Amino acid sequence: MALTCLFRAAVFAVCLAGTGADPRPVIRTVGQMALLPTGMAIGPHVTEVVWKRLPNIRIAEYSKNNIEYFGTMEYKKRVTFKVGKYELEIRDLRIEDTADYEVIFVTNSGSEILTRVRLEVYEQISGTQVKAKNITSICNFFLLTCSVTLGNPTRFSWWKNSEPLGNDSIHYFQENRDTVEIHHSGADAGIVYKCEASNPISKNKAEILLKDICEHPATGLRWWVIMLIVIVVLIAIIVVLFIAYRCMLSVTWAELRAGWVDWCREDPKSRASFCTFLWNPKSVTQPGQNNKMNRNEMAEML
């Protein structure tokens, strides 16, 4: 009896020591299926198997020929426990499925055997592009940033023409290497900078010509160019409004003048004073000869 207990303790200690090893990664693409292996030969002496997602999220449990799944209904539809080799199948993979998984075997002797496996899920990288920003007025300093429109890159690699780029006197990488600070002189305008965004399942490249950065800055127009454009636009709006106003005023005055002339012609004697005022408002304030002159002028116009 003592020997049996000692043997079980030794087996359990060995198995626990093995759990400290780095998990062997299973690498898959979003939407694919992953089969998580046990990584060991299992005999018929196994009575219970438990799959977990670390730190302690139970996924499936096998005991007495019965399988029980845990988690949401949506998650249960994506996982299957394989009885033959005690493997765990996960379908329709997502980025959030990336994790360390643990399987625990319980033998008919009561001992436990633990093993772990890591699952890494990635999205295909596409749409890599390099953009320049913070360009100085003489274009002797700027930042190049590498980005992607789709995917989850884990590494960024840079080249200056065909040579790998590293930190030196004119190049300095920021922490995750997606951005590099560049100091240069006008003598190297023909240089091409290239960036490659990659992850374990895909990679994608982009490049930018140093000459294009300085001739067509990616940061946009200078502030004084923007101000000039705004001023020109405002002047154009004012001119258009002024012309429209003058046209409207001219048409309205012509229509009113034609109506007044017709009205004055209907009864020129009784309406002489008012019609004279319409043509020359100041004339009504002067009695006598001035009024006669204005009436004569009005008669001639009528």
Side-chain angles (χ1 to χ4, degrees):
M1 181 68 179
L3 290 175
T4 303
C5 293
L6 183 61
F7 173 76
R8 290 178 178 176
V11 171
F12 184 72
V14 170
C15 294
L16 288 180
T19 61
D22 292 335
R24 295 161 293 110
V26 174
I27 298 174
R28 293 292 184 271
T29 304
V30 171
Q32 289 185 338
M33 180 272 291
L35 192 62
L36 304 184
T38 61
M40 57 193 310
I42 305 298
H45 58 286
V46 173
T47 59
E48 184 178 339
V49 180
V50 179
W51 272 98
K52 294 181 179 180
R53 170 175 172 157
L54 296 179
N56 192 27
I57 302 175
R58 188 166 295 219
I59 299 174
E61 181 177 326
Y62 168 78
S63 178
K64 299 179 180 179
N65 294 323
N66 180 59
I67 303 174
E68 184 179 1
Y69 295 98
F70 302 88
T72 64
M73 289 300 299
E74 181 184 5
Y75 188 74
K76 291 178 181 179
K77 293 178 182 179
R78 296 199 296 121
V79 298
T80 300
F81 177 80
K82 301 291 186 178
V83 178
K85 295 183 178 180
Y86 308 118
E87 297 169 326
L88 183 68
E89 179 181 283
I90 306 178
R91 297 173 297 278
D92 188 21
L93 289 172
R94 302 165 187 182
I95 297 293
E96 54 267 27
D97 290 324
T98 297
D100 292 324
Y101 294 81
E102 181 181 75
V103 57
I104 304 172
F105 300 95
V106 180
T107 67
N108 51 17
S109 64
S111 62
E112 292 186 353
I113 304 173
L114 284 72
T115 185
R116 292 178 182 176
V117 59
R118 178 166 180 79
L119 172 63
E120 296 180 357
V121 183
Y122 296 94
E123 193 173 19
Q124 292 277 353
I125 293 176
S126 63
T128 302
Q129 54 186 346
V130 180
K131 290 187 177 181
K133 60 182 180 179
N134 295 350
I135 305 173
T136 58
S137 58
I138 58 176
C139 200
N140 63 345
F141 170 81
F142 51 85
L143 301 178
L144 291 183
T145 299
C146 189
S147 61
V148 301
T149 57
L150 187 65
N152 50 334
T154 58
R155 177 181 172 84
F156 291 94
S157 303
W158 291 83
W159 289 266
K160 181 179 179 181
N161 292 332
S162 59
E163 298 180 1
L165 194 61
N167 286 324
D168 53 35
S169 60
I170 63 173
H171 306 98
Y172 177 75
F173 287 100
Q174 295 187 359
E175 186 175 356
N176 59 357
R177 293 182 66 88
D178 66 330
T179 300
V180 56
E181 299 178 7
I182 298 179
H183 302 259
H184 81 99
S185 64
D188 50 12
I191 291 176
V192 176
Y193 283 100
K194 302 176 184 179
C195 170
E196 179 182 86
S198 62
N199 60 26
I201 64 167
S202 63
K203 57 185 178 181
N204 196 249
K205 287 184 178 181
E207 63 181 42
I208 189 168
L209 184 62
L210 194 57
K211 181 180 178 181
D212 293 337
I213 296 174
C214 295
E215 291 184 355
H216 309 285
T219 51
L221 297 174
R222 302 299 184 192
W223 67 268
W224 56 269
V225 177
I226 297 176
M227 290 298 297
L228 182 61
I229 293 175
V230 171
I231 292 173
V232 171
V233 171
L234 289 176
I235 292 174
I237 292 174
I238 292 173
V239 170
V240 170
L241 291 177
F242 178 76
I243 294 174
Y245 172 76
R246 292 291 295 176
C247 291
M248 181 184 67
L249 187 63
S250 175
V251 171
T252 304
W253 173 250
E255 292 176 349
L256 289 175
R257 186 175 181 277
W260 291 337
V261 169
D262 293 339
W263 183 76
C264 290
R265 283 175 176 172
E266 292 177 359
D267 190 357
K269 292 184 178 180
S270 60
R271 300 173 182 175
S273 296
F274 183 76
C275 292
T276 302
F277 172 75
L278 290 177
W279 300 120
N280 188 2
K282 295 182 179 180
S283 65
V284 298
T285 61
Q286 301 294 332
Q289 186 177 358
N290 286 341
N291 277 348
K292 291 181 180 180
M293 292 176 61
N294 289 328
R295 290 192 184 94
N296 292 335
E297 292 175 356
M298 182 196 70
E300 292 177 359
M301 298 183 69
L302 293 176

